Amino acid sequence: MIINKSEFVISAPSVERCPDDNKPEYAFIGRSNVGKSSLINMLCQHKGLAKTSATPGKTLLINHFLINDEWYIVDLPGYGYARSKTTQSKLQIMNTGYILKRQQLCCLFVLIDIRHEQKDIDRRFVDWLGENGIPFAIVFTKADKLTQSRAFSNATKWMNTLKDTWENLPPFFITSAANRKGREELLNYIEEINNN
Ligand code: GTP
Ligand code: MG
């Protein structure tokens, strides 16, 4: 798929304040600093579209970006880090409300840093998505930090641990915002869903 146009539309503090034009939506979530905003900019080839930062906790609202005037990319606040307990629980309510209520959400991409062992917080989150019937896929980020074979073995090991709970594993992608790895695969996956 070719992205000709990507524009910021709105930062919403709750699902109720998100755009109501009923276009298909693809949201990105994961632990703070995993690379959500960077991946969105890489997919859109639009530097500065989503705000990135080396300090975790940059994205604090539900951000909608309209793509080709047809569908939305949604940048969600990260989980697992917040300046205070109050902010953390506010963000959790915001994300949970969005994920459970957003009818037009076609796929939630759960981002995982490819360098690390599976973290409990990610596992609990993925299990919760499965229990709630949310369509999702796993996106491993920062693959440029490892050799190709190490990246692949880390990703498959992570995915295989899901087999103890889940019969059908979600799709997964290995990406890097630094060298654009996985861009075509992710965009083709989105296009496939949009066409169905
Ligand atoms: P929050 O909004 O704070 O939750 O973070 P985020 O998940 O949106 O992460 P962000 O895109 O802001 O990136 C966090 C840091 O990781 C930044 O310093 C990025 O430059 C770096 N980063 C993101 N993606 C990659 C990648 O693919 N490769 C490398 N090497 N660094 C990356
Ligand atoms: Mg961000």
Side-chain angles (χ1 to χ4, degrees), residues 52-78:
T52 64
S53 163
T55 327
K58 179 71 185 171
T59 308
L60 293 169
L61 293 162
I62 303 170
N63 298 295
H64 275 73
F65 303 96
L66 183 59
I67 310 301
N68 295 346
D69 293 321
E70 284 172 357
W71 53 278
Y72 287 108
I73 279 181
V74 181
D75 191 12
L76 293 170

Side-chain angles (χ1 to χ4, degrees), residues 31-38 41 50-59 75 81 83 142:
R31 283 189 304 124
S32 288
N33 220 240
V34 69
K36 299 173 290 295
S37 303
S38 303
N41 292 341
K51 292 200 177 61
T52 64
S53 163
T55 327
K58 179 71 185 171
T59 308
D75 191 12
Y81 172 89
R83 283 179 186 88
K142 309 193 185 184

